[in-house]
Amino acid sequence: MKNILKNITSLRLVWFIVLAILIVDQIIKFEVKSTMSLGESIPITSWFKITFIENNGMAYGMTFINKIVLSIFRLIAITAIGYYVCKITKTTHRKGYVACLALVLAGAIGNMIDSMFYGLIFNASTPFNVSELVPFGTGYAGFLEGKVVDMFYFPLIVTTWPEWVPVWGGHEFIFFSPVFNFADAAISCGVVLLILFYRKEMEGLSLNFFSKKSKEKEGN
């Protein structure tokens, strides 16, 4: 009975984290997509701006894989992570480990929603007009081909490389230059916390994932 209660608590924790992140992530993306033109930037502070860009769906705007291939890969990854999270909730485990995995899962789902549906329900954003909702299926792209909305830009340091620096000398240097979204932040936080505090659990990931009957672990 005690283990059943622990499992229910863990599952509720996963659902709460995933739903909370998805709701916040989609509210922010919908607001940006429907009120800002592509490339528009709103200064919040000298080191933080809301800047609307779109990308094919890799973290922090990276784009070097075919969109359909990337979307299929991400669907497989989301399914695998979801399966693993459900599996470990049936064992003795640290709640923090489950929470970190839920962060990664929620972030991946958040960006996947953009790819699956935004191309179907929005017309294309451009630097000259704000995107609008359109009848389902008449948007700018097909299923799995929608672009992911990014908006958080933190140019913490904006300077120029010294002239004596090879290649980059005299060019502008910006730290931190990637534009990202709330889902990306959830993924990054989850991964960093896993690496810092849950290495032992990560080392046993393959055993837990592939074994038919997971070996119970000691929790804190």
Side-chain angles (χ1 to χ4, degrees):
M1 185 65 181
K2 185 177 180 180
N3 287 334
I4 293 176
L5 291 175
K6 285 184 177 181
N7 292 341
I8 293 175
T9 302
S10 296
L11 287 172
R12 286 179 176 174
L13 176 65
V14 171
W15 277 109
F16 174 78
I17 292 174
V18 170
L19 289 176
I21 290 176
L22 287 180
I23 290 170
V24 174
D25 179 61
Q26 289 302 310
I27 288 175
I28 295 172
K29 287 175 176 175
F30 191 93
E31 180 67 18
V32 169
K33 177 74 173 174
S34 61
T35 62
M36 297 177 67
S37 58
L38 192 64
E40 183 179 351
S41 185
I42 302 174
I44 305 300
T45 69
S46 60
W47 47 266
F48 173 43
K49 301 178 181 179
I50 300 297
T51 301
F52 174 32
I53 68 168
E54 293 180 310
N55 68 78
N56 282 339
M58 295 193 71
Y60 301 104
M62 294 182 289
T63 55
F64 54 84
I65 299 178
N66 176 272
K67 178 61 181 180
I68 294 295
V69 173
L70 176 61
S71 294
I72 293 174
F73 173 78
R74 287 165 58 212
L75 279 174
I76 294 172
I78 289 170
T79 301
I81 296 171
Y83 170 78
Y84 177 68
V85 171
C86 290
K87 193 175 182 68
I88 65 168
T89 58
K90 299 176 183 178
T91 68
T92 302
H93 51 271
R94 291 196 280 178
K95 295 295 189 298
Y97 180 55
V98 176
C100 290
L101 290 173
L103 285 173
V104 176
L105 178 62
I109 294 173
N111 285 335
M112 195 68 229
I113 290 174
D114 296 25
S115 297
M116 289 192 298
F117 300 116
Y118 275 35
L120 299 173
I121 64 175
F122 283 107
N123 59 14
S125 295
T126 75
F128 311 105
N129 71 279
V130 175
S131 180
E132 296 179 348
L133 287 171
V134 297
F136 188 85
T138 63
Y140 68 87
F143 184 65
L144 297 180
E145 296 182 297
K147 295 180 179 180
V148 175
V149 175
D150 289 333
M151 74 295 295
F152 297 135
Y153 179 40
F154 289 86
L156 300 178
I157 300 175
V158 180
T159 185
T160 302
W161 285 103
E163 293 292 342
W164 53 263
V165 176
V167 182
W168 298 287
H171 289 79
E172 185 180 56
F173 169 74
I174 300 176
F175 178 86
F176 171 77
S177 62
V179 181
F180 60 99
N181 58 44
F182 193 74
D184 294 331
I187 294 172
S188 297
C189 289
V191 170
V192 170
L193 290 173
L194 286 171
I195 293 173
L196 291 178
F197 302 110
Y198 300 101
R199 292 183 181 180
K200 183 176 180 181
E201 286 85 347
M202 294 298 292
E203 289 172 358
L205 188 150
S206 60
L207 177 62
N208 283 317
F209 189 88
F210 293 109
S211 62
K212 291 183 179 180
K213 185 176 181 180
S214 297
K215 182 180 179 180
E216 291 212 339
K217 297 180 178 181
E218 282 190 316
N220 284 349

